[in-house]
Amino acid sequence: MVKYFVAFLVGVTSFFHSFSQELKSPNGNFKLVFALENDGTPTYQLFMKNKEIIKKSKLGLELQKDKKSLLNDFELANEVRNSFDETWKTIWGEETEIRNYYNELALTLKQNETERQIIIRFRLFNEGLGFRYEFPEQKNLTYFVVKEERTEFAMTGDHTAFWIPGDYDTQEYDYTESKLTEIRGLFKKAVTENASQKQFSDTGVQTSLMLKTANGIYINIHEAALINYSCMHLNLDDKNLVFQSHLTPDAKGNKGYLQTPCVSPWRTIIASTDARDVLASRITLNLNEPCKITNTSWIRPIKYIGVWWEMITGKSSWAYTDEVPSVHLGVTDFSKVKPNGKHAANTKHVKEYIDFAALHGFDAVLVEGWNEGWEDWFGHEKDYVFDFVTPYPDFDVKAIHEYAKSKGIKMIMHHETSGSTRNYERHLDNAFQFMKANGYEAAKTGYVGNILPLGEHHYSQSILNHYQYVIEKAADNKIMINAHEAVRPTGICRTYPNMIGNESARGTEFQAFGGSKANHTTVLPFTRLIGGPMDYTPGIFEMDIAKLNPNNNSHVNATLANQLGLYVVMYSPLQMAADLPDNYNRFLDAFQFIKDVPVEWATTKYLEAEPGYYVTIARKDKKSNNWYVGNSNGYNSRAASVNLDFLEKGKKYEAIIYSDAENTDYKTNPQAYKITKHKVNNKTKLSLITPAGGGFAIQIKEIK
């Protein structure tokens, strides 16, 4: 690890009240300008290559029951400038090393009337800006309640945005592409049904927000290190084109309870004239603390299959019986009821999945619906909903563990909480002990439905603290966590790499709930994945869901080749082959790519990118000299250009290309694909036709 750190302190008095402070990025491309307005309101501007990309925007916080708040009447008390340069090693990631290189400006502001102090810390990287509020321990500011954070992001024009509705409880929406001034008119149509949802404004959107200006500048707004705070949304003033932060409230309407010394999350702005630079930025990770887990040897990327898709589609059931409408855990005797014959999580069937995983070289099997309570788990705000340790009569935990172990397969635990966070916490110690006793090293958690305690939201401060508690408790027990329906990630996986996966966006399951837009996975890398990897669960080979369940007429809006490409495009150290084994057995030649593609990478190259339209990414295997390329295409058929200049000079390779066929159509002929082999080197340029909803996957092997 290489570090370079320089700091110097400048004393500042109120004499400099009207002056501005400037900070430049290490490469000089970005310039931050900070200033206090005449009434002492802090503001900032951001320039890229001398072009203003964020207009003068206000900073501050409005406090509950505090007539002064932390909005104005400030003077500059101190200024500290730092330069920092380090290269840190990842536990897992899109590369083995990440450079953390920035110039920093920390400004201490003193409020005249109250004598309270806050620090606004700016870090300017070569690809953008991070800034946060810091609240030192002090006499006149100890405990305080945030009514609203008043951070602004003032736009320079009516940009194109890729957005989902601002919501306190879900991110599981399709993305809408529109001008900023069109958001209000399109908002209601963009809101689709979800198990738990609460919007706050017809111009409210979520981060990570991807924008493109008329002159071709890509801008991404998000947050990093979301710890002990509530999740930030953006509320647009569509007359003045100014976004203002909007924090998720708790049951009382408050946005945060803070005690000094403390800090806010970082607010991030990534910008470039090349969309690939947005994907390559590691600002979100770099603004998080280094890893806090001393021994990380037990944290391992996983490729898995699961008893899941057949339940999502309605082919099978989570519930053991149809005879028990009301379940009382510890009282209801499932040994005396009639099984419904559709329960997928039974010993015999799970062993079949274990056999398939072992035959094809997978690491693990996830089983959902194994534990008592699924007959009566959702929609009633039920507190004592699951105990996370009691299996149904047809699921032999010990026998499955022994069988999986004999086959070299790990089992992944499923902990659905149904939003009852306090119930999960009261059972967490026993649940983790049960996992360890039965050989489970990873858990998929879920938070479907409204949050309990009632009135709380999925993204409010106390519930975010719950998610963090689970991550840290799991780390103590050497357990990896894959959280579904939790808050979207903000780079915390750097600090706690046992947080190996998240859903927190519209995943593959919605393809069985009516379908997602065909360009969905061309947007997600620019939005959801900016904060961390997603357990998107790709690999669907049968697009007609009615073939699994005649009562479900959903269609997966993608081609088979597209599904293969997602194993490279949608980065995750936790990758699932989500379809049924029967469907993979029909296309074993295409399934070979899923078997071969790694989950650990040495480096990543972004070859082509345009949000909403196409993404092409190349990644090098961490354990070999092989490369893998993936593409996801939107609604416009195009010729993708793949320049293989990243290959080592002077060496020869063979490329195995899994692509759409000439007659592939994501609606009418999605399973048409072709597999071709070509000799290639670092001078090779491939051109591949990708239809709407299509894509491709390439494995590149060195020829020795």
Side-chain angles (χ1 to χ4, degrees):
M1 178 182 290
V2 178
K3 287 188 178 181
Y4 172 68
F5 183 82
V6 175
F8 57 91
L9 174 67
V10 179
V12 184
T13 70
S14 58
F15 176 78
F16 294 100
H17 184 279
S18 61
F19 283 67
S20 63
Q21 280 68 36
E22 293 187 1
L23 180 69
K24 289 190 175 182
S25 60
N27 63 5
N29 285 346
F30 284 91
K31 182 176 72 173
L32 166 83
V33 177
F34 174 87
L36 291 171
E37 295 192 328
N38 290 334
D39 66 350
T41 298
T43 68
Y44 76 100
Q45 288 172 278
L46 186 62
F47 297 83
M48 185 182 75
K49 297 179 180 178
N50 297 318
K51 293 181 180 179
E52 187 180 44
I53 60 171
I54 301 292
K55 296 169 65 177
K56 181 179 282 191
S57 302
K58 295 179 180 179
L59 299 166
L61 294 97
E62 183 180 358
L63 308 184
Q64 286 283 22
K65 299 179 180 178
D66 188 306
K67 56 186 178 180
K68 190 65 180 175
S69 286
L70 297 171
L71 295 170
N72 53 32
D73 194 27
F74 286 108
E75 64 179 36
L76 193 55
N78 275 310
E79 169 187 323
V80 178
R81 293 178 181 268
N82 296 326
S83 291
F84 186 75
D85 190 4
E86 71 167 355
T87 299
W88 56 277
K89 294 185 181 298
T90 60
I91 307 303
W92 47 258
E94 298 178 75
E95 55 269 297
T96 55
E97 293 183 339
I98 292 175
R99 190 181 188 188
N100 187 12
Y101 187 25
Y102 60 82
N103 291 333
E104 181 179 84
L105 173 64
L107 301 170
T108 300
L109 306 181
K110 180 180 179 181
Q111 195 171 44
N112 291 311
E113 182 179 330
T114 66
E115 296 188 342
R116 296 184 296 205
Q117 290 189 347
I118 64 170
I119 299 169
I120 303 178
R121 187 177 302 273
F122 298 95
R123 288 182 181 172
L124 203 50
F125 300 79
N126 286 338
E127 67 269 31
L129 173 68
F131 62 92
R132 74 178 180 188
Y133 303 96
E134 300 179 1
F135 309 96
E137 185 173 348
Q138 56 196 284
K139 180 180 178 181
N140 294 335
L141 189 66
T142 304
Y143 292 94
F144 59 101
V145 179
V146 177
K147 183 176 181 180
E148 187 59 89
E149 183 184 317
R150 296 297 182 191
T151 303
E152 291 182 350
F153 304 85
M155 301 291 99
T156 59
D158 191 11
H159 305 330
T160 297
F162 297 85
W163 57 276
I164 55 175
D167 197 298
Y168 298 152
D169 287 293
T170 186
Q171 282 207 313
E172 295 176 332
Y173 294 118
D174 263 318
Y175 283 87
T176 299
E177 176 186 353
S178 78
K179 295 292 187 182
L180 296 177
T181 53
E182 296 171 335
I183 291 175
R184 185 184 299 274
L186 295 170
F187 189 87
K188 289 183 179 178
K189 183 180 178 181
V191 176
T192 50
E193 186 178 357
N194 196 273
S196 179
Q197 55 193 149
K198 175 68 174 178
Q199 302 87 47
F200 59 87
S201 165
D202 286 347
T203 57
V205 298
Q206 300 195 44
T207 72
S208 173
L209 177 67
M210 190 67 206
L211 302 157
K212 185 179 181 181
T213 70
N215 57 349
I217 297 175
Y218 300 87
I219 301 171
N220 186 281
I221 302 174
H222 193 33
E223 63 181 323
L226 177 52
I227 302 282
N228 193 26
Y229 208 81
S230 66
C231 175
M232 179 183 74
H233 308 283
L234 301 172
N235 197 27
L236 177 66
D237 173 353
D238 50 0
K239 289 185 173 59
N240 297 303
L241 299 180
V242 176
F243 284 108
Q244 189 178 82
S245 59
H246 180 98
L247 303 181
T248 305
D250 66 3
K252 296 172 67 175
N254 294 326
K255 304 295 183 84
Y257 301 84
L258 301 180
Q259 177 187 356
T260 59
C262 57
V263 298
S264 77
W266 295 90
R267 281 62 188 97
T268 63
I269 303 167
I270 303 168
S272 178
T273 55
D274 189 334
R276 296 176 298 175
D277 293 338
V278 176
L279 299 179
S281 173
R282 301 294 178 251
I283 281 180
T284 315
L285 290 173
N286 280 328
L287 288 170
N288 277 267
E289 295 295 320
C291 179
K292 290 188 176 182
I293 302 173
T294 304
N295 175 15
T296 59
S297 61
W298 51 275
I299 301 173
R300 293 183 293 273
I302 296 171
K303 193 189 299 183
Y304 72 105
I305 64 171
V307 187
W308 172 76
W309 186 244
E310 60 182 271
M311 282 115 78
I312 286 290
T313 59
K315 173 181 169 63
S316 303
S317 170
W318 280 274
Y320 174 73
T321 181
D322 296 334
E323 293 187 341
V324 182
S326 177
V327 173
H328 295 270
L329 294 180
V331 177
T332 303
D333 189 348
F334 284 94
S335 68
K336 296 180 180 179
V337 301
K338 180 183 177 182
N340 59 24
K342 300 178 294 182
H343 183 231
N346 64 77
T347 303
K348 179 178 181 295
H349 194 45
V350 170
K351 285 184 176 180
E352 293 171 350
Y353 272 83
I354 292 170
D355 288 341
F356 185 83
L359 176 65
H360 294 289
F362 284 79
D363 302 305
V365 173
L366 165 72
V367 181
E368 299 195 12
W370 65 275
N371 55 320
E372 291 184 356
W374 287 92
E375 293 77 10
D376 173 28
W377 72 284
F378 172 75
H380 304 292
E381 281 74 44
K382 184 177 182 179
D383 184 45
Y384 187 23
V385 57
F386 295 115
D387 67 7
F388 312 100
V389 296
T390 306
Y392 281 120
D394 63 347
F395 187 81
D396 189 330
V397 175
K398 184 176 180 181
I400 287 171
H401 166 52
E402 292 175 350
Y403 189 77
K405 186 177 180 181
S406 73
K407 297 281 187 173
I409 297 298
K410 297 289 186 180
M411 298 300 295
I412 300 177
M413 179 58 70
H414 183 231
H415 288 166
E416 176 56 60
T417 70
S418 191
S420 185
T421 57
R422 60 189 177 190
N423 180 59
Y424 191 34
E425 289 188 14
R426 75 166 67 102
H427 286 96
L428 202 54
D429 284 329
N430 285 340
F432 283 163
Q433 290 168 15
F434 180 82
M435 285 179 61
K436 300 295 284 186
N438 290 283
Y440 291 83
E441 298 176 353
K444 172 185 174 180
T445 61
Y447 296 89
V448 175
N450 294 330
I451 289 291
L452 295 180
L454 282 172
E456 290 293 337
H457 296 289
H458 283 75
Y459 308 148
S460 57
Q461 181 188 26
S462 66
I463 305 305
L464 267 62
N465 288 346
H466 162 82
Y467 303 142
Q468 189 64 29
Y469 173 78
V470 172
I471 296 169
E472 296 183 24
K473 194 77 168 178
D476 292 341
N477 287 273
K478 295 185 177 180
I479 287 172
M480 296 180 287
I481 293 294
N482 169 26
H484 282 229
E485 295 89 31
V487 70
R488 77 284 191 278
T490 57
I492 294 170
C493 58
R494 178 190 178 187
T495 312
Y496 292 95
N498 66 311
M499 191 64 176
I500 199 170
N502 285 79
E503 182 195 38
S504 305
R506 189 180 179 95
T508 298
E509 64 185 356
F510 279 84
Q511 299 281 21
F513 302 158
S516 295
K517 290 181 179 178
N519 70 339
H520 188 53
T521 52
T522 68
V523 181
L524 285 173
F526 294 95
T527 52
R528 165 60 183 77
L529 270 72
I530 293 296
M534 180 179 179
D535 185 30
Y536 184 73
T537 63
I540 304 302
F541 280 12
E542 179 51 71
M543 313 305 171
D544 184 358
I545 305 303
K547 291 182 178 179
L548 282 71
N549 174 12
N551 297 316
N552 187 341
N553 293 317
S554 298
H555 184 88
V556 178
N557 294 321
T559 69
L560 192 150
N562 169 280
Q563 291 292 295
L564 296 180
L566 295 183
Y567 286 92
V568 182
V569 170
M570 297 291 292
Y571 169 68
S572 180
L574 181 75
Q575 286 285 21
M576 184 182 197
D579 211 337
L580 276 61
D582 287 349
N583 290 330
Y584 291 134
N585 285 330
R586 295 163 54 200
F587 305 99
L588 285 175
D589 56 350
F591 185 58
Q592 187 64 42
F593 182 82
I594 299 178
K595 294 170 59 173
D596 290 339
V597 67
V599 286
E600 297 186 77
W601 303 109
T603 190
T604 293
K605 303 290 184 182
Y606 300 94
L607 307 184
E608 300 180 302
E610 182 65 32
Y613 293 86
Y614 54 85
V615 178
T616 307
I617 299 174
R619 304 189 195 273
K620 186 177 184 292
D621 182 16
K622 196 173 183 178
K623 298 179 179 179
S624 75
N625 288 324
N626 295 344
W627 283 82
Y628 294 79
V629 181
N631 166 273
S632 178
N633 190 41
Y635 283 106
N636 300 326
S637 178
R638 64 182 295 271
S641 179
V642 183
N643 189 336
L644 301 185
D645 59 358
F646 53 83
L647 297 177
E648 193 171 341
K649 187 177 181 180
K651 291 193 174 183
K652 297 179 180 180
Y653 299 83
E654 180 184 63
I656 306 172
I657 303 173
Y658 302 77
S659 61
D660 294 301
E662 287 75 9
N663 60 343
T664 306
D665 185 284
Y666 80 90
K667 279 292 190 185
T668 61
N669 195 23
Q671 293 168 319
Y673 62 91
K674 59 183 179 180
I675 303 173
T676 57
K677 295 182 179 181
H678 303 270
K679 297 294 189 292
V680 299
N681 56 42
N682 76 319
K683 296 180 180 179
T684 302
K685 294 182 180 180
L686 301 173
S687 181
L688 297 169
I689 301 299
T690 54
F696 56 80
I698 308 174
Q699 181 183 28
I700 304 175
K701 299 179 179 180
E702 182 183 349
I703 300 174
K704 296 183 179 179

